[in-house]
Amino acid sequence: MSEHDLWMKEAMNMAEEALAASEVPVGCVFVRDGKIIAKARNRTNELRNATRHAELEAIDQILSDKELTPEISQYPLATTTLYVTVEPCIMCASALRQMGIREVFYGCGNERFGGCGSVLGVNKELVHPKHAPYDATGGFLREEAIMILRRFYITENTNAPAPKSKANRVLKTDIP
């Protein structure tokens, strides 16, 4: 098993935690100098705030910890790598670029909101006058990341404004 798979397994543990809390099951870990410095999961339903994605939750942990961010700098994540179960959305991909993330590894693509190439290449395809691009590589524990999302989406989302009945949905286990 590769080092990337080990870190991604930790991110998957956070996704499982999100699923148990009735959140979209996305989890992440930020790694610096061979150690996890922050880990988080989606908390959008819990906090009733659409911006509380796993990546932003973990960034808040890093920025609020004086040991992890001892001084104010333009790029506090310059020596940090992110492992996240799903490709960062456009909002998170932009925040990561503004924070100077070194690199991102993710499980599965995000065909609806992906900010690292699936929808929009915020990480490096879009030219920015100030913030350097970063590499984002997908496919790490891809099948597991897809399956946990499928497990969530076949359940009733009681937090949705007008929940749709999913009584007749079947969990698909084939992954192309």
Side-chain angles (χ1 to χ4, degrees), residues 152-173:
F152 173 78
Y153 284 114
I154 65 163
T155 63
E156 303 288 335
N157 184 356
T158 57
N159 297 305
K164 296 177 185 171
S165 175
K166 297 182 182 178
N168 296 324
R169 289 216 177 159
V170 176
L171 178 63
K172 295 178 186 171
T173 57

Side-chain angles (χ1 to χ4, degrees), residues 15 26 39 46 56 91 94 96 107 111 137 140 142 154 167-168:
V26 177
K39 56 185 176 178
E46 175 186 343
L56 299 182
M91 172 183 69
S94 178
L96 291 163
E111 283 77 31
T137 307
F140 294 90
R142 177 181 171 271
I154 65 163
N168 296 324

Side-chain angles (χ1 to χ4, degrees), residues 28-162:
C28 72
V29 296
F30 282 78
V31 176
R32 185 184 293 160
D33 299 324
K35 293 183 289 226
I36 294 174
I37 62 166
K39 56 185 176 178
R41 62 173 176 80
N42 275 4
R43 294 179 65 205
T44 57
N45 292 331
E46 175 186 343
L47 299 175
R48 303 179 75 186
N49 181 338
T51 68
R52 298 294 60 197
H53 291 192
E55 300 94 325
L56 299 182
E57 286 285 303
I59 288 170
D60 284 353
Q61 290 174 31
I62 295 166
L63 296 179
S64 65
D65 187 325
K66 297 279 189 219
E67 289 186 25
L68 297 174
T69 313
E71 56 191 49
I72 296 172
S73 71
Q74 184 174 7
Y75 297 116
L77 300 180
T79 60
T80 308
T81 300
L82 168 65
Y83 292 86
V84 61
T85 57
V86 178
E87 173 189 359
C89 72
I90 293 167
M91 172 183 69
C92 291
S94 178
L96 291 163
R97 188 164 180 177
Q98 291 173 54
M99 292 285 175
I101 193 76
R102 179 171 53 196
E103 193 169 15
V104 172
F105 295 94
Y106 61 89
C108 62
N110 183 345
E111 283 77 31
R112 292 183 72 195
F113 307 110
C116 294
S118 290
V119 175
L120 197 60
V122 174
N123 63 311
K124 68 179 180 182
E125 293 167 16
L126 293 179
V127 177
H128 194 283
K130 184 177 183 180
H131 305 300
Y134 62 89
D135 287 330
T137 307
F140 294 90
L141 301 186
R142 177 181 171 271
E143 290 80 11
E144 292 92 330
I146 291 170
M147 285 309 299
I148 195 170
L149 289 169
R150 287 182 180 176
R151 285 170 43 213
F152 173 78
Y153 284 114
I154 65 163
T155 63
E156 303 288 335
N157 184 356
T158 57
N159 297 305

